[in-house]
Amino acid sequence: MRIGVVTFPGTLDDRDAARAVEYAGAEAISLWHGSDDLKHVDAVVLPGGFSYGDYLRCGAISAKAPIMQSIIVAAEHGFPVLGICNGFQVLAEAHLLPGALTRNADMHFLCTDQKLVIENNKTMWTNGFAVGQEILIPMKNAEGNFNCDDATLHELESEGRVIARYVGANPNGSRAAIAGITNKRGNVVGLMPHPEHAIDLLTGPSEDGLTFFTSILNAMVK
Amino acid sequence: MPKIIVEVMLKPEILDPQGQAVAAALPRLGFTFAQSVRQGKRFEIEVAGEPTPAMLADAERAAEEFLANTVIESFVVKVEQ
Amino acid sequence: MPKIIVEVMLKPEILDPQGQAVAAALPRLGFTFAQSVRQGKRFEIEVAGEPTPAMLADAERAAEEFLANTVIESFVVKVEQ
Amino acid sequence: MALDTVANAAATPDFELPFAQLGLKEDEYAKIREILGRRPTGSELAMYSVMWSEHCSYKSSKVHLKQFGEKAVKSDALLVGIGENAGVVDIGQGYAVTFKAESHNHPSFVEPYQGAATGIGGIVRDILTMGARPIAVMDPLRFGAADAPDTRRVLPGVVAGIGGYGNCLGLPNIGGEIVFDETYAGNPLVNALCVGVMRHEDIKLAQAHGAGNLVVLYGAKTGGDGIGGASILASETFNTAKPTKRPAVQVGDPFAEKVLIECSLEIFAEDLVVGIQDLGAAGISCATTELASAGTGGMNVQLEKVPLRDPSLSPEEILMSESQERMCAIVEPSKLARFMAICKKWDVTATVIGEVTSGDRLHITHNGELIVDVPPRTVAHDGPVLTRPMARPEYLDSLTPTSLAPIESAADIKAAVLKLMSAPNIADKSWVTKQFDHYVQGNTILSQPEDSGMIRIDEKTHLGIAISTDANARWSYLDPYNGVKLALLESCRNIATSGAKPLAITNCLNFGSPEDPGVMWTFAETVRGLADICLEMGLPVTGGNVSFYNQTGKVAILPTPVVGVLGVIEDVRTRSAMSFKEAGLELFQLGNADDNFSGSEWAHLHGQMGDRAPTPDVDHETRLVKVLLAGQKYFAAAHDISNGGLAATLSEMVIKSGIGATISIPGEVVPGGLTGALFAETPGRVVIAVKTDNVAAVERIATDLNIPMHTLGVTGGDALVINGASIPLAELSAAYTETFPRLFG
Ligand SMILES: Nc1ncnc2c1ncn2[C@@H]1O[C@H](COP(=O)(O)OP(=O)(O)O)[C@@H](O)[C@H]1O
Ligand SMILES: [Mg+2]
């Protein structure tokens, strides 16, 4: 099982995502933004960071990268993609996921251990969780405030496409406390918090994040 | 020299935390004139010579595809002296 | 209803990394019209009724003290329909 | 006269240059004329003036700093010592670690966000320049009174700037300090520390060797940032046309720096540079003269090749510009193509601006005209050395002892603890630290608010490092010689409390004006104290930084020597943290308290300073470190006692754990009674939590090393109970956490 991890200029959590992929038992393959070659990987992770410095809008410049054009085409055919934090922002800017990630309501960068509740375990990236399961994983961003119009929100809710919600006080003003969503098909998932930083009790608050990475292995084996 | 200006604002139905933060801060600083504030972006684009209709058409497309995220933002393209 | 507009731009001598990043990205997307890009902020301020000269004077002060960081930014206050 | 060439300078010996406006003294100008055998050109004057400034030449501090060399311990761990961009330490398994602190105080007062941001950017480039991958940052900060209006401007901006830059670089922020004191109003201190790691064989030096090798400038284009002085020169002397306005502040581009880091590391990995230097203060002047001075030959530079952001810059200004995110490399011609290819991959502008020569001069031309012809060493290393007058300040003779009412009743205890825990200097700093990413890179083992920051270096062997930064400015005010010693001992204790062994130190010495004999004396005492304590503790000084002129009018800041200690831990899995996970653990205090409240937060809350710093007890501290390292495996939690005394340490532990504790302190064991036991800041103490089964083992270690071990109580419940005074966790935690949001929004 080969999982690609994309590096854009300014990507920060690529090595961490690769580490999580390997903890889960897959091979991490490094992909470069400037090439459209997916190197025959079985799935792709778009990791966190400040690609292009978050200039213009988070993810906006990266969404136009050559690698993204290959990912967009593949994703439309069911290819699994997980976007974490900046990766989620890139997916939204590439219109693979609806809505947009905007400035946190209190205007500050926020790094904290965040409780989430899993609401959809039918996606390729969440099948290892139970619906209603609470998990604890780090969150760190300045623009994690999920925003969309009413029609989109209605569609997400009615189709069960919210995969995870914040538990407790809404940390950043996201609509309906949304932390992560999926596309209709369940192959593309975007998540603001960082599961790759919760794979080991030595460096993270829990091991809950690993399940995102073992889920994709399950999905591919089936 | 005239420039192409692109103004990008969040659509009215989208929550604007930055504008709200500014609106909330103004009265604390003693400014009471504002009823509401929206914060957007302004791009000043220098071109070679006077902006031509072709350049403006290009700027329009660049705004649509790139400078604004039309899921949440609207934009205006104009020329300013 | 007319609004007060405050436009805030980095002073010309100050580095504008965002504008540079946008200027660098445009040609990669096939847009070649821009020679340089500066990115600033635009505030749209709603007031009760038509903006009065007193409100504009206040907006001017608010821009000076708060909306712009005059160490690195300059601003313009105007009224728009 | 457009360009002041060397020929022109020789032909017009009597032309008066505005050297005084550039900050040079008459004798310094005369010295330059003597070195050159003629008057300097405008460009040369610009270079000398900035390189001979206090900031770059250390002219006031040099005579004192040399003690770090003279008294140095022989240490095999020190791979690169003072003099390079940062010192390098061997931590075993083939790894080398480099770390350094620097100040960006004044710029952060003028423009807090950009000042702090570019402070992080600068120190990170120093670390990168050594060949290392930067792996973490820390930020010791000082501000004026917490509730002063200007603090509300400066602190949020500084914090956002540190986060905005550091987060974007992907560097975990693993610690620092935030202290408020009136003397920092108008003089906030923004110190930044960066640490990096590399393999021994990858160490790079700032040296230009090999005639024919190329000088390559890469990174951001050069703009008019930070060239106030040179603009005077350009505008008032030579250029008739008025130059465009030059910015007073430097603006950082963290994205450009992130790309510069990755690009540089790829270049280093392929061994493509002979020498390398970052561009910081004094920009190209500094980089070219330092590289040439430390190398074997001379250098030719063609200044018109420097890529400009602002085409109106004059040669003097290009030489002075402090534009951020730039590096200068010496590259063999055969490796240039590969060097350029890597820069292209990362979209980094790179330009050959000159070459190393077999001569011994630095020649700079502008469009073919020679404008600089200097021996590089005279600019970079042979700057003026001053022996400034010193005098023991008079205030030291009028210090008064503290006089504080004892605390006895349960109600008093509770009120006192709540008051202490909500005081800005003690209160929860997470309003600040939540704005910093401490997870990125996935190797953070400990970060704020723990005693030290800890980073895993090797995932397979579990080798790690710990760093702590400390300063106790009030003790330095009361007794500069001992104050800095106490700071270093505290830093070592912090490292050992986390489970690491102290290995080497860096420092950032923040003081008022060196022209004030009192300040100068305080500085000299500090350096003497630091050199002595390092010798006593067997720790090498790897480098540091001096920041003078932190003063408003006649009022200087408290002397603030920040000490950073680096430690090594063989297995990060054995580290100790401050929180405990269960009820029923036994709590002990290692070390004794006394009744000296001088310089404590408790005294400060009563508007008192006191009259004497504690006496450093190196022997006790050394044994305590040994107890901490040997006892490590038995500790369920450990936390140093410092600011706020035992009361603060216990409160922090129970709040972080979410589990209470019941403490009983027999008043008579402490000379200061219960008040001293709780609120005095007597150094050399640590609180540990131990499972009952392990108590005997810990006692044996403490007894063997002759460290007193006092029973404090037991963990459990949902209150901190001290001698019958019960403080519910919810109430304690609210007092602790509400202060910063209340002050800063
Ligand atoms: N307080 C100090 N203690 C030890 N070394 C110092 C101190 N201050 C400066 N140094 C050393 O002097 C050299 C020059 O410092 P500096 O000019 O700040 O370097 P850079 O320009 O690379 O930032 C460095 O090696 C630095 O570590
Ligand atoms: Mg340096």
Side-chain angles (χ1 to χ4, degrees):
Chain A
M1 181 78 200
R2 291 156 54 86
I3 299 185
V5 176
V6 179
T7 299
F8 300 98
T11 293
L12 306 177
D13 299 289
D14 43 355
R15 267 169 292 188
D16 309 81
R19 185 191 291 121
V21 162
E22 287 180 352
Y23 267 50
E27 188 187 350
I29 306 292
S30 169
L31 301 178
W32 182 242
H33 75 108
S35 156
D36 58 5
D37 182 2
L38 289 177
K39 296 188 184 167
H40 306 290
V41 294
D42 303 296
V44 153
V45 178
L46 303 181
F50 285 75
S51 62
Y52 289 99
D54 272 3
Y55 297 151
L56 184 58
R57 290 178 310 278
C58 307
I61 301 180
S62 297
K64 309 288 186 191
I67 196 84
M68 284 309 298
Q69 309 323 305
S70 302
I71 289 174
I72 290 169
V73 172
E76 278 157 6
H77 294 88
F79 178 73
V81 183
L82 172 64
I84 301 168
C85 193
N86 191 228
F88 185 5
Q89 294 162 340
V90 172
L91 291 174
E93 283 285 345
H95 305 306
L96 284 173
L97 291 172
L101 284 310
T102 59
R103 202 64 200 261
N104 290 347
D106 75 352
M107 312 294 291
H108 293 303
F109 184 96
L110 172 66
C111 177
T112 186
D113 296 341
Q114 178 66 43
K115 248 193 207 158
L116 306 179
V117 58
I118 298 292
E119 301 214 338
N120 173 340
N121 67 353
K122 299 280 185 295
T123 79
M124 297 176 103
W125 297 94
T126 57
N127 61 50
F129 292 107
V131 168
Q133 184 177 342
E134 287 197 1
I135 63 172
L136 180 71
I137 62 180
M139 169 148 100
K140 49 188 187 85
N141 60 65
E143 314 209 9
N145 182 346
F146 181 79
N147 227 312
C148 63
D149 59 25
D150 294 343
T152 306
L153 182 64
H154 179 76
E155 188 182 308
L156 287 172
E157 295 286 11
S158 63
E159 293 175 4
R161 285 165 52 198
V162 175
I163 62 137
R165 250 184 260 271
Y166 301 117
V167 173
N170 189 326
N172 53 20
S174 286
R175 281 204 89 173
I178 287 173
I181 57 174
T182 182
N183 63 348
K184 281 186 196 292
R185 205 164 167 162
N187 61 309
V188 179
V189 165
L191 183 70
M192 248 3 254
H194 288 258
E196 81 282 15
H197 287 298
I199 58 168
D200 173 348
L201 287 173
L202 196 58
T203 54
S206 77
E207 297 175 343
D208 297 341
L210 194 57
T211 305
F212 287 91
F213 301 92
T214 52
S215 289
I216 187 66
L217 267 70
N218 293 339
M220 302 308 290
V221 170
K222 271 184 218 146
Chain B
M1 195 55 123
K3 292 178 191 150
I4 297 179
I5 306 296
V6 180
E7 294 168 355
V8 177
M9 299 299 293
L10 283 168
K11 291 181 178 170
E13 66 271 24
I14 299 287
L15 187 77
D16 173 12
Q18 305 199 66
Q20 280 187 351
V22 171
L26 285 173
R28 286 202 299 270
L29 301 172
F31 297 108
T32 53
F33 64 95
Q35 287 202 315
S36 77
V37 180
R38 310 272 301 163
Q39 179 175 337
K41 299 186 185 114
R42 174 183 161 88
F43 300 90
E44 291 188 1
I45 306 175
E46 280 182 357
V47 298
E50 297 266 329
T52 61
M55 287 175 182
L56 281 169
D58 263 11
E60 200 59 56
R61 275 206 306 122
E64 172 82 36
E65 290 172 25
F66 181 58
L67 297 176
N69 175 356
T70 52
V71 173
I72 53 168
E73 295 169 326
S74 58
F75 64 88
V76 174
V77 177
K78 53 186 168 186
V79 175
E80 247 178 49
Q81 294 311 312
Chain C
M1 193 53 122
K3 292 178 192 150
I4 298 178
I5 306 295
V6 181
E7 293 168 356
V8 178
M9 299 298 294
L10 285 168
K11 293 181 180 169
E13 68 270 19
I14 298 283
L15 177 73
D16 174 11
Q18 299 217 63
Q20 276 189 356
V22 171
L26 284 172
R28 289 200 298 270
L29 302 174
F31 297 109
T32 52
F33 63 94
Q35 286 203 317
S36 78
V37 181
R38 307 276 298 170
Q39 178 175 337
K41 297 186 190 123
R42 175 184 160 88
F43 298 92
E44 290 188 2
I45 306 176
E46 281 182 356
V47 299
E50 297 266 332
T52 62
M55 287 174 181
L56 281 170
D58 263 12
E60 195 68 46
R61 274 206 307 125
E64 173 81 35
E65 290 171 24
F66 177 58
L67 297 176
N69 173 357
T70 51
V71 177
I72 54 174
E73 295 169 326
S74 58
F75 63 88
V76 174
V77 177
K78 52 186 168 185
V79 175
E80 248 179 48
Q81 295 308 313
Chain D
M1 187 198 310
L3 193 63
D4 190 23
T5 61
V6 170
N8 183 50
T12 56
D14 299 327
F15 187 82
E16 273 299 319
L17 287 161
F19 63 86
Q21 274 169 279
L22 293 174
L24 285 168
K25 298 274 182 300
E26 195 121 11
D27 59 330
E28 292 171 341
Y29 185 61
K31 177 91 188 290
I32 296 168
R33 293 190 70 129
E34 183 194 319
I35 290 168
L36 298 177
R38 58 171 162 80
R39 77 156 171 93
T41 65
S43 297
E44 288 165 342
L45 184 68
M47 292 177 82
Y48 278 105
S49 71
V50 66
M51 290 300 290
W52 285 13
S53 69
E54 184 64 56
H55 179 75
C56 292
S57 75
Y58 290 84
K59 58 184 159 194
S60 303
S61 54
K62 243 182 210 167
V63 291
H64 303 286
L65 295 178
K66 64 175 197 276
Q67 291 174 65
F68 293 142
E70 291 160 3
K71 295 183 186 169
V73 282
K74 268 233 107 0
S75 167
D76 295 337
L78 194 62
L79 301 174
V80 176
I82 294 179
E84 278 289 334
N85 285 296
V88 182
V89 181
D90 176 14
I91 59 157
Q93 299 179 13
Y95 287 106
V97 163
T98 175
F99 71 129
K100 188 174 176 215
E102 206 155 68
S103 62
H104 227 215
N105 302 339
H106 187 65
S108 302
F109 173 68
V110 176
E111 213 307 280
Y113 185 99
Q114 295 297 345
T118 51
I120 296 282
I123 191 65
V124 168
R125 283 193 302 281
D126 267 338
I127 293 307
L128 175 64
T129 301
M130 299 309 298
R133 170 173 284 282
I135 55 170
V137 293
M138 294 175 100
D139 56 335
L141 307 175
R142 299 290 186 281
F143 301 101
D147 52 5
D150 199 48
T151 303
R152 226 164 293 154
R153 170 186 74 96
V154 176
L155 182 145
V158 164
V159 170
I162 291 169
Y165 206 101
N167 295 341
C168 189
L169 291 189
L171 293 175
N173 184 307
I174 57 170
E177 296 172 87
I178 300 165
V179 178
F180 302 96
D181 187 275
E182 289 73 11
T183 60
Y184 302 112
N187 303 285
L189 303 187
V190 176
N191 291 181
L193 180 148
C194 182
V195 54
V197 65
M198 69 202 120
R199 304 295 299 174
H200 285 188
E201 59 273 20
D202 295 337
I203 296 172
K204 300 279 178 289
L205 298 176
Q207 300 176 344
H209 290 297
N213 286 339
L214 304 167
V215 182
V216 185
L217 185 66
Y218 68 110
K221 290 186 180 168
T222 299
D225 315 59
I227 49 175
S231 295
I232 295 175
L233 196 59
S235 62
E236 301 195 0
T237 325
F238 304 108
N239 291 356
T240 37
K242 237 186 148 59
T244 53
K245 197 155 175 293
R246 303 300 180 217
V249 252
Q250 301 152 22
V251 171
D253 180 352
F255 170 64
E257 178 121 326
K258 168 66 180 167
V259 170
L260 193 60
I261 292 171
E262 297 303 330
C263 176
S264 298
L265 290 172
E266 210 168 305
I267 286 167
F268 298 163
E270 295 190 23
D271 202 11
L272 301 178
V273 302
V274 175
I276 183 144
Q277 172 69 299
D278 61 300
L279 275 75
I284 295 175
S285 295
C286 178
T288 53
T289 55
E290 286 193 350
L291 280 164
S293 172
T296 42
M299 188 181 282
N300 284 349
V301 172
Q302 289 102 49
L303 208 54
E304 74 281 358
K305 295 200 173 154
V306 172
L308 300 181
R309 189 175 90 229
D310 176 351
S312 77
L313 293 183
S314 69
E316 296 90 341
E317 291 175 316
I318 297 169
L319 285 167
M320 294 305 96
S321 163
E322 297 188 352
S323 284
Q324 303 289 297
E325 293 97 20
R326 298 180 297 165
M327 301 281 277
C328 189
I330 305 298
V331 183
E332 289 173 18
S334 64
K335 292 184 171 171
L336 184 70
R338 187 61 201 137
F339 184 102
M340 291 299 191
I342 294 173
C343 289
K344 184 156 197 299
K345 170 184 168 188
W346 289 98
D347 254 326
V348 167
T349 307
T351 315
V352 176
I353 61 163
E355 61 283 314
V356 179
T357 63
S358 55
D360 57 2
R361 312 280 291 188
L362 171 64
H363 289 146
I364 300 182
T365 55
H366 189 255
N367 295 323
E369 305 239 46
L370 187 65
I371 55 171
V372 172
D373 178 0
V374 295
R377 208 179 157 81
T378 63
V379 185
H381 291 108
D382 297 338
V385 177
L386 303 180
T387 308
R388 298 233 187 232
M390 305 194 286
R392 184 172 181 277
E394 279 165 18
Y395 75 80
L396 288 173
D397 298 321
S398 49
L399 298 168
T400 50
T402 58
S403 126
L404 296 156
I407 288 165
E408 276 142 10
S409 74
D412 280 357
I413 293 175
K414 179 173 173 181
V417 171
L418 290 174
K419 177 181 165 110
L420 178 76
M421 296 313 292
S422 65
N425 281 335
I426 305 292
D428 178 34
K429 306 296 189 296
S430 59
W431 184 90
V432 170
T433 55
K434 272 182 174 173
Q435 298 186 47
F436 304 146
D437 185 349
H438 54 262
Y439 278 114
V440 67
Q441 297 196 10
N443 288 313
T444 306
I445 307 298
L446 296 174
S447 63
Q448 57 280 74
E450 299 288 351
D451 289 311
S452 58
M454 188 178 289
I455 297 282
R456 176 174 62 188
I457 297 295
D458 190 303
E459 280 185 56
K460 300 223 166 52
T461 66
H462 310 289
L463 180 70
I465 56 164
I467 302 189
S468 166
T469 66
D470 289 286
N472 190 316
R474 291 190 208 126
W475 284 344
S476 279
Y477 175 81
L478 295 171
D479 181 347
Y481 177 75
N482 282 319
V484 72
K485 287 186 152 190
L486 291 163
L488 181 121
L489 293 171
E490 178 180 344
S491 221
C492 289
R493 199 182 328 123
N494 281 329
I495 294 290
T497 302
S498 299
K501 184 169 179 284
L503 194 65
I505 82 135
T506 187
N507 65 73
C508 191
L509 309 176
N510 305 274
F511 286 79
S513 168
E515 293 159 36
D516 176 335
V519 169
M520 207 54 223
W521 182 87
T522 311
F523 175 80
E525 283 295 282
T526 299
V527 173
R528 187 170 70 87
L530 186 54
D532 285 350
I533 189 73
C534 286
L535 190 57
E536 288 171 68
M537 295 294 284
L539 297 171
V541 180
T542 63
N545 184 249
V546 177
S547 171
F548 278 131
Y549 296 103
N550 297 288
Q551 89 175 48
T552 308
K554 285 214 161 340
V555 185
I557 58 164
L558 295 177
T560 313
V562 173
V563 177
V565 172
L566 171 78
V568 182
I569 179 166
E570 293 301 324
D571 184 347
V572 292
R573 294 170 301 179
T574 67
R575 89 293 186 196
S576 286
M578 65 194 260
S579 60
F580 40 81
K581 303 278 178 293
E582 55 190 314
L585 298 169
E586 298 187 33
L587 290 165
F588 301 91
Q589 173 179 303
L590 299 173
N592 293 334
D594 67 23
D595 60 351
N596 180 4
F597 291 93
S598 294
S600 69
E601 189 60 25
W602 187 243
H604 183 68
L605 286 174
H606 293 84
Q608 301 179 22
M609 177 63 96
D611 60 343
R612 64 199 160 98
T615 306
D617 186 343
V618 177
D619 184 51
H620 167 81
E621 298 275 5
T622 308
R623 284 181 283 110
L624 179 61
V625 164
K626 287 188 181 147
V627 169
L628 291 168
L629 295 179
Q632 191 58 33
K633 50 184 173 292
Y634 302 115
F635 301 161
H639 190 21
D640 169 53
I641 299 177
S642 56
N643 285 358
L646 175 65
T649 297
L650 287 171
S651 299
E652 287 160 8
M653 290 178 86
V654 298
I655 292 168
K656 186 99 200 288
S657 309
I659 299 172
T662 299
I663 306 298
S664 141
I665 294 167
E668 66 277 12
V669 304
V670 180
L674 182 60
T675 323
L678 286 176
F679 300 109
E681 296 180 4
T682 320
R685 294 180 298 156
V686 173
V687 172
I688 53 173
V690 185
K691 271 195 176 138
T692 304
D693 290 352
N694 291 330
V695 170
V698 176
E699 275 172 344
R700 210 169 312 120
I701 294 169
T703 309
D704 283 352
L705 286 156
N706 193 22
I707 291 293
M709 177 164 158
H710 304 286
T711 297
L712 291 173
V714 56
T715 68
D718 53 11
L720 174 61
V721 183
I722 301 177
N723 284 13
S726 176
I727 314 167
L729 278 190
E731 207 176 325
L732 185 60
S733 171
Y736 182 59
T737 55
E738 281 168 3
T739 302
F740 269 65
R742 177 171 51 75
L743 288 167
F744 303 108

